[in-house]
């Protein structure tokens, strides 16, 4: 083990080195930090990124919720009207059967002509709204109208239902007028009795 260098000799050696070189040697002996690589992340640096991520998540969740609610309102309105259409079709069929049983020598029950016009009018409004793919606000009990968005299978089934009703509707047109005579109304009852099951069946898959 070498003995320590005396202070006098050390002073003489350091004194022989220029001041600038001494400073350079001292700086070289220090550890130089690497800019950016070892810099620790602070809370102030993390907060903006966390806020951006949180806002993105909230916006995405709100958009998804709005879409789901709108779709449910759309589906509920269609199901509600489809149910009314089915009830109206069954009513037309059952009423025609009752009228044909109750009519005696061509005499109609007093209630049937007005009930026929009312039910046909309701059926017309719903089926034509479906055909146009637009549901009026007053028909669905909303403040605004609703545009239907159905897949290809649903549109195909709807088109068949519309075609069946228009065929039957054309044959009872005279009976739905306010001044229709008993013979026309009775003829309509026969048409609805013969085609009632077909009309009802056309509403089952809507």
């Amino acid at each position: 083990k070498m003995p320590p260098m005396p202070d006098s000799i050390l002073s003489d050696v350091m004194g022989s080195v220029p001041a600038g070189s001494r400073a350079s040697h001292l700086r070289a002996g220090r550890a130089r930090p690497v800019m950016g690589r070892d810099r620790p992340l602070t809370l102030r640096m993390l907060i903006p990124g966390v806020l951006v991520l949180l806002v993105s998540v909230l916006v995405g969740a709100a958009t998804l919720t709005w879409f789901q609610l709108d779709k449910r309102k759309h589906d509920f309105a269609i199901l509600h009207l489809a149910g009314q259409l089915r009830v109206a079709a069954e009513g037309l069929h059952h009423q025609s059967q009752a009228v044909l049983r109750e009519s005696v020598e061509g005499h109609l029950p007093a209630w049937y002509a007005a009930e026929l016009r009312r039910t046909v009018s309701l059926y017309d409004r719903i089926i034509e709204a479906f055909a146009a793919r637009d549901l009026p606000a007053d028909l669905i009990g909303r403040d605004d109208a609703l545009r239907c968005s159905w897949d290809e299978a649903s549109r195909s089934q709807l088109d068949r239902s519309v075609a069946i009703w228009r065929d039957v509707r054309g044959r009872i047109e005279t009976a739905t007028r306010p001044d229709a005579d008993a013979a026309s109304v009775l003829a309509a009852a026969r048409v609805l009795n013969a085609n009632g099951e077909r009309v009802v069946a056309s509403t089952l898959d809507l």
Side-chain angles (χ1 to χ4, degrees):
K1 182 177 181 180
M2 293 181 63
M5 182 179 293
D7 293 339
S8 58
I9 299 177
L10 180 61
S11 299
D12 293 340
V13 173
M14 294 301 295
S16 64
V17 179
S21 299
R22 289 203 300 270
S24 300
H25 283 294
L26 290 174
R27 286 196 299 269
R30 296 173 185 172
R32 294 183 179 181
V34 179
M35 297 301 293
R37 183 179 300 174
D38 299 326
R39 186 178 180 183
L41 293 176
T42 65
L43 185 60
R44 181 177 297 178
M45 297 170 61
L46 290 174
I47 286 178
V50 172
L51 289 178
V52 170
L53 179 61
L54 181 60
V55 170
S56 300
V57 170
L58 290 176
V59 170
T63 302
L64 180 60
T65 300
W66 178 87
F67 175 78
Q68 292 293 339
L69 288 176
D70 188 68
K71 186 176 185 301
R72 288 187 180 184
K73 289 190 293 185
H74 170 272
D75 293 345
F76 177 78
I78 291 177
L79 288 173
H80 179 66
L81 287 184
Q84 289 191 55
L85 201 66
R86 192 172 304 117
V87 170
E90 291 173 346
L92 289 171
H93 188 208
H94 295 157
Q95 290 167 10
S96 67
Q97 292 176 326
V99 165
L100 294 177
R101 287 195 303 267
E102 295 176 18
S103 62
V104 179
E105 296 180 357
H107 295 287
L108 288 171
W111 57 268
Y112 183 63
E115 186 64 20
L116 176 65
R117 288 194 298 271
R118 186 194 70 79
T119 309
V120 168
S121 176
L122 175 62
Y123 202 103
D124 278 342
R125 286 203 68 199
I126 296 175
I127 199 70
E128 294 303 331
F130 278 167
R133 313 298 197 256
D134 284 314
L135 308 182
D138 62 325
L139 192 61
I140 58 178
R142 286 167 47 114
D143 295 331
D144 54 339
L146 185 65
R147 178 68 179 173
C148 297
S149 55
W150 290 323
D151 56 24
E152 184 62 31
S154 298
R155 289 194 295 269
S156 178
Q157 173 59 41
L158 174 61
D159 291 342
R160 289 194 295 270
S161 299
V162 171
I164 289 172
W165 173 246
R166 287 176 177 171
D167 172 59
V168 174
R169 182 70 171 83
R171 288 188 271 168
I172 64 173
E173 172 64 29
T174 304
T176 59
R177 298 171 183 169
D179 59 348
D181 55 27
S184 298
V185 176
L186 187 60
R190 294 192 182 98
V191 171
L192 291 170
N193 180 57
N195 294 273
E197 291 183 358
R198 186 164 66 108
V199 174
V200 171
S202 73
T203 68
L204 295 180
D205 295 326
L206 291 179

